[in-house]
Amino acid sequence: SRGVSVSLALALLLLAPPPPGAGAPPPASAAAVAPTFEEMWSAWVKAEASGDAPAAEVALRQMRRARIERNARTVVARCRASGINVVGVTKGTCGMPQVARAMLRGGVTGIGESRFENIRRLRASGIDAPVMLLRSPPLSLIEEVMKTVDISLNSELATIRELSRVAERMARVHDIILMVDLGDLREG
């Protein structure tokens, strides 16, 4: 079962409480790949105290990405228990590849984005996870949609037919999520 795809703006959950056991040390057999939050905090405090603004900024960025990853992991675990797959949305960060990577490390199944320039940035940075276009694609960009996007939200039959025609010609599979316009012009 593929479960239900849910889009969550994980990048905005920076202040969520840590999951139970998040402060516990890793098992002795675990290889230390990244610094702990405490090590990042210590590096930031040291840089701030010495007036090293660039080092302080690096430490702060590391802490933010670690929190995004942790929050993604928490949301994914809670949703997975109900058979829900989570798509991390980078829309609020203008498609920052660092944020997408943090959410992917946290276990999201793909990245959701609404702007083509952000999708291009994600793909150019090496993000190869499934990408969901969070709006109906314009007919003029169907070729680009087929090349860069795996799933799109659609409400127009003409768009769906064109996606199908181009997908068939390019021998690609493109998933769609059908939206129903209820009259508020927000397609959903």
Side-chain angles (χ1 to χ4, degrees), residues 3-101:
V4 178
S5 292
V6 176
S7 298
L8 299 174
L10 296 175
L12 301 178
L13 296 176
L14 293 175
L15 300 176
S29 63
V33 176
T36 66
F37 191 82
E38 289 76 17
E39 290 169 335
M40 289 183 275
W41 178 258
S42 178
W44 178 79
V45 168
K46 182 179 176 183
E48 279 288 306
S50 69
D52 187 352
E57 184 63 30
V58 166
L60 195 57
R61 282 191 197 128
Q62 280 185 313
M63 286 188 291
R64 288 178 179 153
R65 285 192 298 267
R67 292 182 86 170
I68 291 168
E69 181 179 340
R70 180 201 69 201
N71 291 337
R73 189 171 286 110
T74 301
V75 171
V76 166
R78 290 181 181 174
C79 290
R80 189 173 286 143
S82 297
I84 298 170
N85 292 326
V86 179
V87 171
V89 177
T90 59
K91 178 179 172 182
T93 64
C94 296
M96 282 182 68
Q98 302 91 328
V99 171
R101 284 189 192 92

Side-chain angles (χ1 to χ4, degrees), residues 4 11 16 25 43 47 60 73 79 84 88 108 115 120 141 144 160 165 182:
V4 178
L60 195 57
R73 189 171 286 110
C79 290
I84 298 170
V108 300
R115 296 177 162 266
R120 287 183 209 113
L141 294 175
E144 182 173 358
I160 295 169
R165 187 186 71 72
L182 300 176

